[in-house]
């Protein structure tokens, strides 16, 4: 039953078929569309499970199956499927989380009239994500990448009649497109440098030692290697998709979509695709590390951006008032951590954190969805509160997710994965700044998650919606429970004492080390987590704001900074003032050119034509016509003159004849006329 | 002054008389008669040459004149019919008044 | 020989002049008939008997009759009989033209070296004439026949009328 690499295409195919079926199902066919979607994902899950077994049996092997897509010139464009521990693990994660979210959507979207369309788009997205994960060719990956972008657009703008949702969908698409441009350029460069886009191809693949050697030679201006340039361009695409600074602006707006969408796409899977891409292409990224002459390594840039993003996301999340927006910025921050891990050289830590983050972030979003569903779309935390009583299960699962995210030690998966990242950052020889940024982020993360938990579930209900909330149905709560089990259990796969995950991913036997291997660093991070939790508890749990109108304690303490952070550091405004303005100006300029200059030119040409026409007609009238008229008048005059000879008198004619005869005869006689 | 000369002079004078008459008279019948005189003069010429001229085909002159007379007859008939028609249109047969074709 | 010729010429010319210049239309026609008979006499003198015969038959017989009919049919009142004979410009010019033509022709005649044959008159029997007409000139004969037919039909068509303008002329 274990699928070979050649059969692995079935995994993305099943959700795709479900999407196709959903597309042709009418609105009333809710059960059919939902059943198709869930069955498709279940099928993918089952197959992924078997594939995982197969991949884990031989963890150091990158099993691939390549095929020709179409012929191009002498060669052909080749695509391929790849089955190794990385792709198998991610496949399994995507399918599992996907199934749980699909089941959640049954309850959440129950009252929505466009139920069928929702499941169709969800299945389309799942198919595209699985395609990205299983691709052995950068081109095939890109195809899946773009379809994911399309599905994201369709799902963010699912309630398209809301102008905010439509605008958010557009923004997401455009911003990720900017990143994708870099990715496309990187692909083109890679293809022109190596002639192939396949990752593994029996020695000829771009991630294999033979080709990498050629790419890693410093040949460009400034001592850069081709692999550095390609890496930076690919990172552009990953940064766009994974919401890194400065292309993170679309993620908070994407919360306009339904909560299952936020959970699946913007927490667990799609935004993780950027991280996955860099992890997949890590050999390319790290190829230039051995070269001393390269001024900037690609991975350094990755680490820097990741550190900035981690800190930025956490800081802004502290001042947000919308439930989902806090979680969105938290996602941005955690993605920054993953990029940071990649940058400092430990792609294994990044993938570990990706897997754990998928579970606990999806859990958090789904719990938030449960709250939103129960309070009829009340999302402002100032108007929530007191929900721990009526919504016990949701409260418990949210708490589990919150503790996993904050990094509460030992029991929760987030602690172990974050530890791995911090350990890797501390071992980075280039700079310690990412480490400090990561540590600062730990405090802030713990703080804002405590603030959120207390704001939503603690104290008393601050609005009628919160007061009338009750627990959600089983279709919503069961996935929450399953995800919380994952949030706890997954951590144990990667502890230093049992580095199972790391061994599987790298294919090497990593020896078991003591649990608190990090020593001082681990202790420091535990202390920081405790600090954050304590500060949040102190500010938000004890005070227990009574009404919705009360100010946030932080806002009272530092209103300026709070407002600045609340306005997302005004980055959107900065974009509007610079890039937006530039675009408007260019458009205005182009309009001016079009209307005045080219339009004027065309009008002038038209006038020229008109002038020529009137000139022509004038010449015709005055010149040719007049000439003709004059000629005809002359002819008429001549004719009239000649016709005077026609007197009508027969005898006159005869007279003329006689005279002519005489003249002729005289000529004949005397003039020699013969 | 051979007989031929005399004949030719005779026919020329007759022709001139006919021409004068055709040109000067007002009545169209007289114009027609003038035309007939001219034709006769021409016939005279032919017979003169047949009689006194160099010997050629013996009957050519005679045949020609016969045909000429026949044509003159036809022409006279048509002409007189025309005159009757003219009379109907303008109530008299004065030729100078028949200028409807004046250009 | 020449005397007879001169006599015939004088008679013909005289009657012709008088006919052309006469006032009375009827008298002009009758005098012209005499002139035509003078021409016939000339033909006889020249030895073309058949032609003389044809001249008399056609001119004196047919054409004179037709002209007389026309004269009688186209008179309105007694004053139409007389064609006024006034020396208008037209008359003067006509005389001048006639004189000029006569002069030119006579000059031409007198200056031409005509070798008139003094031999006997050529004779043409009626039989020969018939043979010529139906042999060498058969086509012309046929054409003449058609021409005469057409001319007569045309003359009838022209002269006949069925318009209500002239009820007294309707056949």
């Amino acid at each position: 039953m274990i699928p070979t690499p050649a059969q692995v295409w079935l995994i993305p195919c099943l959700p795709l078929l479900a999407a196709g079926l959903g597309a042709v199902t009418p609105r009333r066919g809710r059960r059919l569309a939902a059943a198709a979607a869930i069955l498709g994902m279940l099928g993918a899950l089952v197959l992924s499970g078997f594939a995982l077994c197969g991949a884990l049996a031989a963890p150091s092997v990158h099993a691939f199956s390549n095929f020709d897509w179409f012929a191009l010139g002498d060669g052909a464009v080749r695509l391929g499927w790849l089955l190794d521990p990385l792709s198998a693990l991610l496949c399994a994660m995507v399918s599992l989380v996907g199934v749980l979210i699909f089941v959640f959507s049954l309850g959440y979207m129950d009252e929505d009239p466009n139920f069928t369309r929702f499941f169709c788009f969800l299945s389309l997205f799942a198919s595209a994500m699985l395609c990205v994960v299983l691709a052995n060719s950068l081109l095939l990956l890109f195809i899946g990448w773009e379809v994911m972008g399309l599905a994201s657009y369709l799902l963010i703008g699912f309630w398209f009649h809301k102008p905010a949702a439509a605008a958010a969908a557009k923004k997401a698409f455009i911003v990720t497109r900017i990143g994708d441009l870099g990715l496309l350029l990187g692909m083109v460069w890679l293809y022109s440098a190596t002639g192939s886009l396949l990752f593994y191809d029996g020695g000829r693949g771009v991630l294999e030692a033979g080709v990498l050697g050629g790419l890693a030679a410093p040949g460009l201006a400034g001592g850069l290697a081709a692999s550095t340039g390609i890496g930076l361009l690919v990172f552009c695409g990953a940064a766009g998709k994974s919401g890194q600074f400065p292309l993170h602006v679309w993620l908070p707006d994407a919360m306009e979509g339904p909560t299952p969408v936020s959970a699946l796409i913007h927490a667990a899977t799609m935004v993780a695709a950027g991280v996955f891409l860099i992890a997949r292409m890590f050999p390319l990224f790290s190829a230039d590390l051995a070269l001393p002459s390269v001024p900037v390594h690609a991975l350094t840039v990755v680490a820097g951006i990741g550190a900035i993003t981690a800190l930025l996301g956490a800081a802004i999340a502290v001042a947000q008032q919308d439930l989902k927006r806090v979680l969105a910025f938290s996602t941005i921050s955690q993605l920054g951590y993953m990029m940071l891990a990649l940058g400092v050289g430990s792609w294994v830590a990044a993938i570990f954190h990706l897997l754990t983050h998928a579970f606990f972030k999806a859990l958090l979003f789904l719990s938030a969805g449960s709250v939103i569903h129960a309070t009829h779309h009340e999302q402002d935390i100032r108007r929530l509160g007191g929900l721990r009583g009526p919504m016990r299960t949701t409260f418990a699962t949210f708490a589990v997710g919150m503790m996993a995210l904050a990094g509460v030690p030992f029991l929760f998966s987030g602690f172990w994965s974050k530890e791995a990242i911090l350990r890797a950052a501390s071992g980075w020889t280039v700079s310690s700044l990412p480490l400090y940024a990561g540590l600062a982020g730990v405090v802030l993360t713990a703080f804002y998650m405590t603030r959120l938990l207390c704001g939503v579930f603690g104290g008393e209900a601050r609005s009628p919606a919160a007061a009338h909330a009750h627990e959600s149905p089983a279709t919503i709560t069961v996935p929450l429970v399953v995800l919380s089990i994952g949030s706890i259990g997954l951590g144990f796969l990667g502890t230093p004492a049992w580095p199972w995950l790391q061994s599987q991913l790298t294919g090497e036997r990593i020896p078991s080390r003591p649990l608190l291997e990090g020593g001082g660093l681990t202790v420091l991070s535990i202390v920081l987590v405790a600090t954050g939790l304590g500060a949040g508890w102190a500010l938000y749990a004890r005070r227990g704001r009574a009404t919705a109108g009360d100010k946030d304690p932080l806002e009272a303490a530092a209103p300026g900074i709070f407002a600045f952070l609340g306005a997302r550091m005004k980055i959107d405004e900065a974009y509007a003032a610079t890039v937006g303005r530039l675009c408007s100006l260019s458009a205005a300029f182009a309009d001016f050119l079009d209307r005045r200059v080219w339009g004027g030119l065309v009008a002038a040409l038209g006038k020229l034509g008109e002038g020529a026409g009137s000139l022509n007609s004038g010449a015709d009238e005055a010149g040719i016509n007049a000439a003709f008229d004059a000629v005809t008048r002359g002819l008429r005059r001549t004719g009239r003159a000649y016709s005077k000879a026609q007197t009508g008198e027969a005898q006159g004619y005869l007279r003329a004849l006689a005279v002519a005869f005489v003249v002729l005869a005289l000529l004949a006689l005397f003039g020699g006329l013969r | 002054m051979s007989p031929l000369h005399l004949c030719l002079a005779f026919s020329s004078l007759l022709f001139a008389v006919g021409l004068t008459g055709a040109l000067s008279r007002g009545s169209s019948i007289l114009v027609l008669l003038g035309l007939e005189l001219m034709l006769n003069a021409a016939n005279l010429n032919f017979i003169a040459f047949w009689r006194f001229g160099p010997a050629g085909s013996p009957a050519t002159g005679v045949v020609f004149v016969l045909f000429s007379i026949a044509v003159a007859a036809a022409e006279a008939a048509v002409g007189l019919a025309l005159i009757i028609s003219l009379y109907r249109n303008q109530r008299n047969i004065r030729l100078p008044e028949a200028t409807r074709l004046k250009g | 020989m020449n005397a007879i010729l001169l006599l015939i010429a004088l008679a013909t010319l005289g009657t012709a002049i008088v006919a052309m210049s006469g006032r009375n239309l009827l008298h002009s026609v009758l005098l012209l008939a005499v002139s035509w008979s003078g021409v016939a006499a000339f033909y006889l003198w020249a030895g073309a008997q058949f032609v003389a015969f044809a001249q008399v038959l056609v001119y004196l017989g047919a054409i004179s009759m037709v002209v007389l009919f026309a004269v009688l049919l186209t008179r309105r009142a007694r004053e139409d009989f007389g064609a006024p004979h006034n020396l208008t410009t037209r008359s003067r010019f006509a005389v001048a033209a006639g004189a000029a033509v006569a002069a030119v022709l006579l000059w031409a005649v007198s200056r031409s070296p005509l070798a008139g044959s003094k031999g006997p008159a050529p004779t043409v029997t009626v039989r020969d004439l018939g043979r010529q007409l139906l042999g060498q000139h058969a086509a012309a004969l046929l054409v003449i026949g058609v021409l005469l037919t057409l001319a007569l039909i045309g003359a009838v068509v022209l002269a006949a009328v069925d318009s209500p303008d002239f009820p007294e002329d309707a056949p």
Side-chain angles (χ1 to χ4, degrees), chain A residues 284-668:
Chain A
L284 184 82
F285 277 85
S286 57
D288 64 356
L289 287 176
L291 298 173
S293 62
V294 175
V296 171
H297 298 282
L299 286 176
T300 314
V301 175
V302 172
I305 299 281
I308 294 172
T309 310
L311 202 50
L312 183 114
I316 296 181
V318 167
Q320 293 301 309
Q321 306 286 19
D322 185 297
L323 171 57
K324 284 176 74 173
R325 296 244 152 52
V326 175
L327 293 174
F329 279 103
S330 165
T331 308
I332 293 175
S333 170
Q334 295 304 306
L335 288 167
Y337 271 99
M338 292 180 223
M339 286 294 181
L340 196 158
L342 284 168
V344 299
S346 174
W347 65 275
V348 173
I351 295 294
F352 186 22
H353 196 59
L354 193 157
L355 290 170
T356 57
H357 174 264
F359 277 86
F360 61 68
K361 199 39 86 50
L363 171 62
L364 281 168
F365 265 109
L366 291 188
S367 310
S370 170
V371 167
I372 292 169
H373 185 76
T375 60
H376 300 288
H377 293 272
E378 179 56 72
Q379 295 180 219
D380 193 329
I381 54 177
R382 293 172 290 195
R383 286 201 282 276
L384 291 171
L387 290 175
R388 70 183 178 289
M391 300 182 75
R392 288 195 175 280
T393 319
T394 308
F395 172 58
T397 53
F398 192 93
V400 167
M402 168 252 168
M403 286 192 277
L405 173 55
V408 169
F410 304 124
L411 193 60
F412 297 96
S413 57
F415 169 72
W416 296 113
S417 54
K418 219 179 284 192
E419 270 309 296
I421 295 177
L422 290 172
R423 218 175 17 253
S426 71
W428 204 36
T429 52
V430 177
S431 161
S432 298
L433 284 175
L435 176 64
Y436 298 143
L439 289 170
V442 166
V443 181
L444 289 171
T445 308
F447 178 73
Y448 68 68
M449 282 316 290
T450 314
R451 170 175 177 266
L452 192 60
L453 186 72
C454 298
V456 174
F457 294 97
E460 300 297 322
R462 288 190 284 279
S463 72
H468 293 126
H470 55 83
E471 187 57 83
S472 305
T475 52
I476 290 182
T477 52
V478 166
L480 295 177
V481 171
V482 175
L483 282 171
S484 18
I485 295 173
S487 302
I488 297 174
L490 214 54
F492 297 119
L493 293 175
T495 62
W498 183 42
W500 178 83
L501 196 68
Q502 285 85 331
S503 315
Q504 293 302 324
L505 283 173
T506 54
E508 302 153 6
R509 276 223 64 49
I510 298 179
S512 167
R513 297 178 307 268
L515 209 58
L516 289 177
E517 179 199 22
L521 186 61
T522 314
V523 171
L524 177 62
S525 70
I526 296 173
V527 165
L528 288 171
V529 169
T531 316
L533 287 174
W537 186 264
L539 277 177
Y540 293 100
R542 293 312 187 84
R543 297 272 180 95
R545 277 172 285 160
T547 60
D550 279 352
K551 263 203 190 174
D552 194 299
L554 274 186
E555 194 179 347
I561 302 178
F562 193 82
F564 181 62
L565 290 176
R568 307 178 192 177
M569 291 197 188
K570 305 264 185 181
I571 295 182
D572 285 301
E573 285 82 347
Y575 268 128
T578 53
V579 177
R581 271 270 292 279
L582 190 69
C583 285
S584 319
L585 281 174
S586 324
F589 179 64
D591 179 56
F592 162 78
L593 262 187
D594 195 46
R595 233 182 292 151
R596 290 295 162 78
V597 178
W598 307 134
L601 210 66
V602 170
L605 280 175
K607 281 272 166 2
L608 208 71
E610 256 180 66
S614 48
L615 208 72
N616 198 9
S617 90
D620 199 45
E621 287 291 328
I624 298 172
N625 276 9
F628 267 114
D629 289 342
V631 167
T632 45
R633 252 180 278 129
L635 278 173
R636 275 224 198 94
R637 244 182 281 128
T638 323
R640 236 175 279 137
Y642 273 122
S643 75
K644 288 214 177 57
Q646 302 290 323
T647 54
E649 294 175 30
Q651 283 165 317
Y653 304 155
L654 194 57
R655 212 181 307 141
L657 264 175
V659 170
F661 168 74
V662 169
V663 168
L664 273 173
L666 285 174
L667 276 173

Side-chain angles (χ1 to χ4, degrees), chain A residues 241-267:
Chain A
K241 213 52 145 209
S242 293
Q244 302 296 300
F245 174 84
L247 293 174
H248 67 280
V249 289
W250 65 272
L251 240 174
D253 285 21
M255 297 299 120
E256 295 288 338
T259 310
V261 170
S262 309
L264 182 61
I265 298 183
H266 306 124

Side-chain angles (χ1 to χ4, degrees), chain C:
Chain C
M1 249 324 152
N2 289 351
I4 304 174
L5 175 63
L6 279 170
L7 207 63
I8 294 173
L10 274 170
T12 312
L13 282 169
T15 48
I17 291 170
V18 175
M20 283 289 116
S21 58
R23 267 184 228 239
N24 197 324
L25 202 54
L26 221 47
H27 291 170
S28 295
V29 174
L30 291 170
L31 279 171
L32 206 61
V34 174
S35 180
W36 287 333
S37 58
V39 173
F42 172 80
Y43 291 149
L44 278 172
W45 174 82
Q49 292 92 352
F50 192 78
V51 180
F53 169 69
Q55 168 89 356
V56 169
L57 197 63
V58 172
Y59 273 95
L60 295 179
I63 293 182
S64 304
M65 289 299 115
V66 175
V67 172
L68 271 173
F69 266 114
V71 167
L72 292 170
L73 279 175
T74 58
R75 61 184 166 116
R76 290 205 77 205
R78 288 204 75 83
E79 65 264 20
D80 268 351
F81 267 136
H85 180 72
N86 41 356
L87 275 172
T88 58
T89 349
R90 191 178 67 230
S91 314
R92 279 194 213 117
F93 197 85
V95 170
V101 169
V104 166
L105 284 172
L106 286 173
W107 179 280
V109 163
S110 64
R111 295 285 293 223
S112 321
L114 295 164
S117 86
K118 303 270 202 244
T123 49
V124 170
T125 60
V126 179
R127 172 173 292 185
D128 285 334
L129 208 55
R131 279 223 184 89
Q132 289 258 307
L133 280 174
L134 289 172
Q136 200 176 338
H137 304 287
L141 190 67
L142 287 168
V143 170
I144 285 287
V146 172
L147 177 73
L148 282 168
T149 315
L150 286 175
L152 284 173
I153 294 172
V156 167
V157 167
L158 278 172
V161 74
D162 49 5
S163 98
D165 289 342
F166 301 97
E168 68 270 18
D169 291 325

